[in-house]
Amino acid sequence: MAEKGLLVILSGFSGAGKGTLVRELLRRYPEEYALSVSATTRHPRTGETDGKDYFFVTKERFEELIGSDGFIEYACYVGNYYGTPREYVEHQRELGKDVLLEIEIQGARKVKEAFPEAVLIFIAPPDAGTLAERLSGRGTETPEQIAGRLKRAAEESRCMQDYEYLLINDDLDSAVERLHDLISVQHCRMELNRLTAERLSAELSRYLS
Ligand code: 5GP
């Protein structure tokens, strides 16, 4: 049976390049990772597809799902609900895939409480100037919206140190490989390998005189 996959939480400022990083990780290592698609009550943005970017649901449906324990975590963020569907995540983990959750800080904290073995990674740009450039370079937001995102980034940066790892997304190619290495290393953590360690120890005990 495959070893159960890990829960990998990825958070970061808007414009930090999280989405691109995750897509590239999945493209390079499709057998190893699965991306959890969240449910949300916010409206789809232009270009977003239901079931791919999010499951867009009504507030009533979201609350029903809360009631039936359908989420491993959910949070309210800027006036909308966002939640991680339990069934998909559990199924992928049983298949041995590491499941990537792209979620914000409140959700990250809840997942860590419920699943202490989850890995918390914060993705950030190398400096504030790069973030501002990336946001304006997208060309999709007005100067006011960009200012709003930078303000939010300043607020969110206060929680960065609650994460276990900080991954600087400077160059996409190397950041993807660092992310993959970081996750791979987690599989070697002793707390996840107690049974193997015990088996080895039991096997070797026959050599004790
Ligand atoms: P956006 O509306 O820009 O797509 O997402 C807003 C924030 O919600 C982002 O920080 C995103 O990572 C976070 N988010 C997306 N899905 C979930 C989820 O299932 N749970 C939580 N807690 N946050 C989420």
Side-chain angles (χ1 to χ4, degrees), residues 80-125:
N80 285 301
Y81 277 132
Y82 292 83
T84 304
R86 184 180 297 283
E87 207 179 302
Y88 177 81
V89 170
E90 285 304 328
H91 180 63
Q92 294 299 318
R93 291 187 73 198
E94 291 301 335
L95 294 177
K97 295 214 181 191
D98 292 338
V99 183
L100 310 170
L101 310 183
E102 211 190 306
I103 63 177
E104 51 64 73
I105 177 83
Q106 305 166 62
R109 287 193 181 122
K110 286 189 214 155
V111 174
K112 188 70 185 175
E113 258 171 51
F115 304 90
E117 75 282 9
V119 191
L120 263 63
I121 305 174
F122 198 92
I123 297 170

Side-chain angles (χ1 to χ4, degrees), residues 18 38 42 45 54 73 75 77 82-84 102-104 107:
K18 250 180 321 171
S38 299
R42 87 150 160 74
R45 296 190 187 120
Y54 282 105
E73 65 75 36
Y77 181 87
Y82 292 83
T84 304
E102 211 190 306
I103 63 177
E104 51 64 73

Side-chain angles (χ1 to χ4, degrees), residues 13-15 128-154:
F13 315 124
S14 168
T130 308
L131 185 66
E133 270 167 35
R134 282 186 192 160
L135 285 170
S136 48
R138 282 173 173 182
T140 51
E141 277 122 315
T142 63
E144 292 73 37
Q145 283 170 325
I146 294 172
R149 287 182 187 264
L150 287 169
K151 181 165 178 253
R152 180 168 289 282

Side-chain angles (χ1 to χ4, degrees), residues 2-133:
E3 179 195 339
K4 197 171 171 183
L6 292 171
L7 275 175
V8 181
I9 299 165
L10 303 168
S11 303
F13 315 124
S14 168
K18 250 180 321 171
T20 316
L21 201 60
V22 166
R23 277 196 300 279
E24 188 55 22
L25 186 70
L26 287 161
R27 196 188 65 76
R28 291 188 193 181
Y29 304 99
E31 300 302 320
E32 288 169 57
Y33 299 106
L35 175 64
S36 162
V37 177
S38 299
T40 183
T41 56
R42 87 150 160 74
H43 293 297
R45 296 190 187 120
T46 316
E48 284 184 334
T49 313
D50 187 44
K52 183 168 165 272
D53 298 286
Y54 282 105
F55 293 105
F56 296 100
V57 299
T58 60
K59 188 161 174 269
E60 291 67 37
R61 176 70 187 134
F62 199 102
E63 286 171 350
E64 251 172 51
L65 286 165
I66 297 175
S68 60
D69 200 26
F71 295 117
I72 64 168
E73 65 75 36
Y74 68 92
C76 202
Y77 181 87
V78 204
N80 285 301
Y81 277 132
Y82 292 83
T84 304
R86 184 180 297 283
E87 207 179 302
Y88 177 81
V89 170
E90 285 304 328
H91 180 63
Q92 294 299 318
R93 291 187 73 198
E94 291 301 335
L95 294 177
K97 295 214 181 191
D98 292 338
V99 183
L100 310 170
L101 310 183
E102 211 190 306
I103 63 177
E104 51 64 73
I105 177 83
Q106 305 166 62
R109 287 193 181 122
K110 286 189 214 155
V111 174
K112 188 70 185 175
E113 258 171 51
F115 304 90
E117 75 282 9
V119 191
L120 263 63
I121 305 174
F122 198 92
I123 297 170
D127 50 64
T130 308
L131 185 66
E133 270 167 35

